[in-house]
Amino acid sequence: MGLDDKIKNAAQDVAGKAKEATGKTTDNERLEAEGHKDQTAANVKQAGENVKDAFK
């Protein structure tokens, strides 16, 4: 995958962190969990990118 995908993954991670922080601040457990889920998804995608890069 290219740089574009890595940027999208990083953006998803940052957005997830923002959602999680907002959820904590407002005591919104759903938003906090959604932010955590977004971060996890971004990390999984990034790990896949790293594996692909290792085999190039």
Side-chain angles (χ1 to χ4, degrees):
M1 297 232 165
L3 183 61
D4 187 44
D5 291 324
K6 290 181 182 181
I7 291 171
K8 287 179 185 177
N9 293 341
Q12 184 179 14
D13 185 51
V14 169
K17 286 179 183 178
K19 279 185 186 179
E20 185 176 13
T22 301
K24 284 182 182 179
T25 302
T26 61
D27 284 332
N28 185 336
E29 291 179 6
R30 183 193 59 78
L31 188 60
E32 187 176 343
E34 189 175 312
H36 185 70
K37 181 188 72 141
D38 289 348
Q39 290 177 63
T40 302
N43 290 336
V44 168
K45 289 177 187 177
Q46 188 60 42
E49 295 292 324
N50 292 340
V51 169
K52 287 181 183 179
D53 289 344
F55 285 104
K56 285 186 178 179

